[in-house]
Amino acid sequence: MPVGEHWDLSVRHIAYHAIAAALEEAGADQVDALFVGNMLSGALLSQEHLGTLIADFCGFRNVETAKIESACSSGASALRVGHMAVASGMHDVAVVCGVEKMTDTTGENTTAGLATAADAEYESAHGVTFVGLNALIMQRYMYEFDVPLDGFAGFSINAHRNGAHNANAMFRKPISLDTYLNAPLIATPINIMDSSPVCDGAAAAVLVASERVGDYVTGHHPGAVQILASASANDTIALHDRRDPLFLEAAYVSSQKAYVESGVTPADISFFELHDAFTIMSALSLEATGYARRGEGWHLAADDAIGPNGRIPISTMGGLKSRGHPVGATGMYQIVETVQQLRGEAGEGQIANASIGMAQNIGGSGATIVTHILGS
Amino acid sequence: MSIASLWRTRQQRYSLEGEICPECRQAIFPPRDVCPHCSEAAGPLHTMSGRGEVYSYTKMFNVPNGFLAQRPYTMALVKLEEGPMVTAQLTDISDEEVEIGMPVEMVTRKLREEGDSGEIVYGYKFRPVFAAGD
Ligand SMILES: [Zn+2]
């Protein structure tokens, strides 16, 4: 399902679109559970109970349903619930869908809705937004590590260059350094080109226990991809309570858990779909997952170590910046794109010899971080 | 924030009332049931001095509902002298003078014109501290 402004479609339509595509590709003829990752349906659409709303619209009856919410990491959290359901043997076939509809209301309402991921009484009540929180991190980071104004430009340029090849991306046009440098500020030092867009989207996957793939999916199963590791960790809800506001401890912990679970090291990973909601988050994610020392993550962008042929390709299908950030759906877009890369179906954006991919989804200002490692 | 929530947090918003942990002696703001530093039961109430310094700041141009009249404004992370950090707006400032490390003090100001129930919400903001004679 392409990310964009889908004024002609409701949340149930875009979710169905993604789920139907996933079921058709898998050739699955049975569904036992539907887990929906979503953040804002209550705040922006006055609609909760999404698990059953969407199952109903898909024609599923007598299946387990639930909406899973962990702010912007809702998509990956839902995948993790689906993973636990089939890995435990509790369900044979689980469908996971991340979905978000952000353009049905005004920009100020959406901004206020996103701010509910922060501490309502001690952050949002003072007028800080999500952009604002990321700006506070970026300002301090630039001060402590002496980063120039264009130090983060490479993250945005890389994302747009890669997103140009992704049919599901919202912005499919490369940008220049000049475009980045002249972009309007939204919260100093963050400009529009540091920030991912508000949009609608839905992405889905079908999950079956590895050893039983052949029993349940008849379609594309040579293309089935394995979840090698799934891990999640939390930190304080408020940025101001972090032990070190410039270090994503939850990203460190969840990626370390995932490395141990999969037996994979950062050097084994072919590409990394990180949570580039803001360029500063790319730098902090690379530092927390073992690709750069503290304060040096931005060097990887400046040196283009993050490009398709670089040491660690990131945002290979455009990332949140260019593909778009429909918040509760983002984690599942990361997974679908990781699967496309591992199957060799990423078209012009294909990473050569991609065999292991990592996806990391961040909720709030670093408060919930979910890491998945997938292998072909 | 609802009226009930505003009433519950009034001592925090008007006088920065936090706690000192009886176990590890660290200052905590706002009060918690469990100390985030040592995981023991958090301790007796303690009112912060209101003095601190700017850890980081941002001038915000896109703002949420309820804050549109004040746009743009400067948000900061303020490191209180007792240790805890708070998120708050800076006030009584010109753009040029804001910098990391700048000493600030708490003042009570209008936070937003209209809350969820139409009330005016007051709370803490921070303003620069000038040395005597400035
Ligand atoms: Zn303590």
Side-chain angles (χ1 to χ4, degrees):
Chain A
M1 175 91 210
V3 172
E5 295 172 320
H6 296 296
W7 288 304
D8 51 336
L9 296 171
S10 78
V11 66
R12 65 187 86 186
H13 290 102
I14 60 174
Y16 170 69
H17 193 287
I19 291 169
L23 285 171
E24 195 197 325
E25 194 172 292
D29 47 13
Q30 167 187 340
V31 172
D32 303 313
L34 171 68
F35 298 109
V36 174
N38 172 269
M39 174 183 172
L40 293 170
S41 70
L44 303 187
L45 310 175
S46 301
Q47 177 70 64
E48 286 292 11
H49 211 172
L50 272 200
T52 288
L53 179 94
I54 289 166
D56 177 14
F57 197 69
C58 292
F60 303 157
R61 296 290 184 278
N62 306 321
V63 308
E64 175 174 348
T65 65
K67 163 174 161 170
I68 315 295
E69 191 276 323
S70 62
C72 305
S73 63
S74 299
S77 290
L79 179 71
R80 206 173 133 62
V81 171
H83 172 64
M84 290 191 282
V86 299
S88 66
M90 202 160 276
H91 284 301
D92 293 323
V93 181
V95 173
V96 179
C97 176
V99 62
E100 204 71 67
K101 193 83 183 65
M102 303 172 76
T103 65
D104 277 17
T105 180
T106 63
E108 290 79 20
N109 277 337
T110 305
T111 301
L114 288 167
T116 63
D119 184 326
E121 290 182 340
Y122 293 100
E123 291 185 306
S124 317
H126 292 270
V128 75
T129 59
F130 253 86
V131 183
L133 289 168
N134 280 273
L136 289 167
I137 300 173
M138 186 163 161
Q139 185 89 272
R140 181 74 193 194
Y141 185 97
M142 293 172 73
Y143 167 84
E144 271 195 32
F145 304 119
D146 209 11
V147 185
L149 254 179
D150 61 355
F152 298 89
F155 290 117
S156 188
I157 292 168
N158 173 61
H160 281 270
R161 178 179 58 193
N162 295 342
H165 307 305
N166 181 359
N168 288 328
M170 181 167 181
F171 299 125
R172 300 192 57 192
K173 235 177 79 180
I175 62 158
S176 65
L177 180 60
D178 260 4
T179 309
Y180 176 87
L181 292 174
N182 293 316
L185 289 162
I186 37 182
T188 57
I190 288 183
N191 71 43
I192 275 185
M193 285 299 157
D194 288 306
S195 169
S196 53
V198 162
C199 51
D200 308 325
V206 178
L207 270 61
V208 178
S210 304
E211 61 281 6
R212 306 188 66 180
V213 170
D215 298 349
Y216 294 102
V217 298
T218 55
H220 208 312
H221 58 89
V225 159
Q226 200 173 3
I227 297 178
L228 303 178
S230 169
S232 182
N234 85 307
D235 202 337
T236 63
I237 184 90
L239 174 64
H240 55 233
D241 284 333
R242 302 277 155 78
R243 203 157 17 178
D244 176 357
L246 301 185
F247 186 72
L248 293 174
E249 198 169 322
Y252 172 77
V253 172
S254 79
S255 62
Q256 289 298 321
K257 283 190 204 174
Y259 294 148
V260 170
E261 186 184 339
S262 60
V264 160
T265 69
D268 300 327
I269 288 170
S270 317
F271 62 95
F272 179 18
E273 294 305 330
L274 49 65
H275 191 94
D276 56 339
F278 299 93
T279 51
I280 178 67
M281 279 294 128
S282 299
L284 296 188
S285 299
L286 287 164
E287 292 170 22
T289 51
Y291 290 101
R293 280 198 287 266
R294 191 171 174 281
E296 295 182 359
W298 64 280
H299 289 298
L300 296 179
D303 306 341
D304 204 22
I306 57 170
N309 303 310
R311 179 156 78 80
I312 180 64
I314 65 169
S315 311
T316 68
M317 307 285 279
L320 282 62
K321 177 70 196 82
S322 156
R323 171 242 297 132
H325 182 27
V327 288
T330 289
M332 287 306 295
Y333 274 98
Q334 293 178 314
I335 294 300
V336 167
E337 290 159 3
T338 301
V339 168
Q340 287 177 306
Q341 285 287 5
L342 292 174
R343 284 177 176 169
E345 294 174 353
E348 280 185 71
Q350 183 64 45
I351 302 298
N353 306 317
S355 58
I356 297 175
M358 180 158 74
Q360 191 170 67
N361 198 192
I362 302 183
S365 55
T368 304
I369 304 190
V370 188
T371 307
H372 284 94
I373 298 177
L374 274 60
S376 49
Chain B
M1 285 172 79
S2 64
I3 287 178
S5 145
L6 292 170
W7 179 79
R8 275 196 304 271
T9 55
R10 65 196 183 283
Q11 294 304 333
Q12 282 69 54
R13 288 184 304 105
Y14 299 150
S15 58
L16 285 176
E17 187 179 78
E19 291 168 323
I20 300 281
C21 174
E23 192 63 31
C24 71
R25 309 303 304 164
Q26 298 245 41
I28 302 167
F29 180 85
R32 290 172 173 251
D33 289 357
V34 178
C35 172
H37 305 287
C38 70
S39 303
E40 296 295 323
L45 295 172
H46 177 87
T47 298
M48 305 293 154
S49 68
R51 289 185 296 273
E53 63 171 53
V54 172
Y55 173 87
S56 192
Y57 64 92
T58 176
K59 186 174 179 183
M60 286 182 30
F61 298 96
N62 285 36
V63 306
N65 273 339
F67 296 88
L68 298 173
Q70 306 173 51
R71 172 173 57 183
Y73 50 83
T74 300
M75 293 296 315
L77 290 173
V78 173
K79 180 95 174 151
L80 300 176
E81 63 180 10
E82 292 87 352
M85 190 120 76
V86 296
T87 302
Q89 282 186 33
L90 297 183
T91 185
D92 308 347
I93 47 160
S94 66
D95 281 353
E96 303 75 47
E97 66 184 336
V98 184
E99 54 182 42
I100 288 175
M102 181 173 84
V104 289
E105 64 188 1
M106 180 227 171
V107 288
T108 298
R109 289 284 194 278
K110 189 165 29 178
L111 289 186
R112 55 189 288 175
E113 205 57 59
E114 203 168 294
D116 301 337
S117 342
E119 75 286 5
I120 293 171
V121 179
Y122 290 89
Y124 50 82
K125 293 188 182 183
F126 286 80
R127 71 176 176 203
V129 185
F130 298 105
D134 264 15

